[in-house]
């Protein structure tokens, strides 16, 4: 599977549809179905920023 912005948005949508709540490592135990979203930014901080803006637009709040 090619990892694209659309594929990432679809993944986020699926996580939300399945009833998961995005959380931090420090508070995951407070949720019945926590999801910790990690970002591995190795080469391009600008692309990472685009992903972060997309998450914000979708409503991913942690």
């Amino acid at each position: 599977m090619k990892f694209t912005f659309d594929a990432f948005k679809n993944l986020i949508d699926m996580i939300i549809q399945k009833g998961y709540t995005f959380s931090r490592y420090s508070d995951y135990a407070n949720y019945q179905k926590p999801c910790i979203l990690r970002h591995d930014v190795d080469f391009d901080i600008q692309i990472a920023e685009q992903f972060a803006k997309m998450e914000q637009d979708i409503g991913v709040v942690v």
Side-chain angles (χ1 to χ4, degrees):
M1 176 172 102
K2 187 173 182 182
F3 195 75
T4 64
F5 287 104
D6 286 337
F8 184 67
K9 183 182 180 316
N10 291 337
L11 174 64
I12 297 294
D13 289 341
M14 184 175 61
I15 290 167
I16 292 169
Q17 285 179 340
K18 297 291 182 180
Y20 287 86
T21 302
F22 292 99
S23 65
R24 296 182 173 100
Y25 288 107
S26 61
D27 67 353
Y28 77 93
N30 296 330
Y31 302 99
Q32 184 176 353
K33 293 176 78 174
C35 178
I36 298 171
L37 188 62
R38 280 193 46 189
H39 299 86
D40 292 330
V41 181
D42 294 330
F43 299 106
D44 196 330
I45 194 72
Q46 292 171 334
I47 290 177
E49 181 181 24
Q50 290 175 312
F51 276 111
K53 286 180 182 176
M54 179 188 299
E55 290 171 12
Q56 185 178 26
D57 291 344
I58 295 170
V60 175
V61 180
V62 289

